[in-house]
């Protein structure tokens, strides 16, 4: 094999790698979106009234990236516009975005089996601050006292977990995030007076 032939082969291999990297992410997106849609159909349909412990067990066992897609699909099904990342890496801690009442919320999705880590909450609030956008920290664990303290006095980051997360996924009435200046504790007390999403029919 001549030097010219070897060089040509290397160029062709490099070109194929570039094409593969370009198209791989969309294919993976489509596969995980299908998985998320199937899971969402089960949560809002045949499995809607299963015990919460079973729902959370399934969520924690999901592929992490499919869990992100599940949340975006749930928002999309409620009529909100979602913005997906072009690829699953290099997103800087943003797992997607959702537009609610004209405001774009950053989303971070975490699957926990126990209490969430306060440093994750602090990192996400700092990320939202850098972008100048409100955020939704959505997780499957327990929100401990230190994590709640990390949000004290902050109006632009909400935690969605527990029954509120299940409501989002099963199509039940859902407390729609609303950017306020009253802070998370006041928002929690005002949940019953804020506009509610009436859910969808399964």
């Amino acid at each position: 094999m001549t030097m010219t032939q070897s060089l040509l082969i290397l160029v062709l291999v490099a070109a194929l790698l570039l094409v593969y990297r370009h198209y791989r992410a969309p294919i993976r997106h489509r596969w995980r979106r299908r998985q998320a849609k199937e899971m969402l159909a089960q949560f809002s349909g045949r499995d809607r009234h299963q015990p919460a412990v079973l729902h959370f067990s399934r969520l924690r066992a999901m592929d992490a990236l499919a869990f992100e897609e599940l949340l975006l699909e749930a928002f999309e099904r409620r009529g909100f516009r979602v913005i997906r990342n072009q690829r699953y890496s290099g997103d800087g801690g943003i797992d997607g975005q959702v537009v609610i009442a004209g405001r774009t919320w950053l989303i971070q999705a975490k699957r926990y089996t126990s209490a969430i880590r306060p440093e994750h909450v602090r990192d996400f609030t700092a990320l939202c601050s850098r972008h100048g956008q409100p955020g939704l920290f959505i997780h499957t664990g327990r929100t401990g006292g230190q994590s709640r303290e990390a949000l004290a006095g902050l109006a632009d980051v909400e935690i969605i977990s527990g029954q509120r997360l299940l409501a989002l996924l099963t199509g039940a009435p859902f407390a729609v995030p609303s950017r306020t200046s009253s802070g998370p504790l006041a928002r929690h007390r005002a949940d019953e007076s804020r506009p509610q999403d009436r859910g969808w029919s399964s």
Side-chain angles (χ1 to χ4, degrees), residues 68-114:
E68 296 172 11
E69 288 289 350
L70 178 68
L71 300 177
L72 296 177
E73 288 289 340
F75 278 115
E76 202 165 48
R77 187 163 180 178
R78 289 180 182 271
F80 300 113
R81 184 169 72 89
V82 303
I83 302 170
R84 289 177 168 82
N85 298 330
Q86 291 300 310
R87 54 182 56 85
Y88 284 123
S89 60
D91 55 21
I94 300 171
D95 297 327
Q97 303 175 58
V98 58
V99 180
I100 302 174
R103 297 187 178 93
T104 302
W105 296 71
L106 306 181
I107 295 175
Q108 188 165 101
K110 294 288 187 182
R111 294 170 308 129
Y112 292 97
T113 57
S114 57

Side-chain angles (χ1 to χ4, degrees), residues 145-192:
Q146 290 185 342
S147 295
R148 295 187 186 281
E149 289 176 5
L151 290 179
L154 298 177
D156 292 347
V157 176
E158 291 195 20
I159 289 180
I160 295 179
S161 61
Q163 290 301 317
R164 192 176 176 200
L165 172 57
L166 292 185
L168 172 66
L169 299 177
T170 61
F174 174 70
V176 177
S178 58
R179 188 175 181 178
T180 71
S181 59
S182 56
L185 296 180
R187 277 202 312 277
H188 177 74
R189 289 192 289 268
D191 271 346
E192 293 185 357

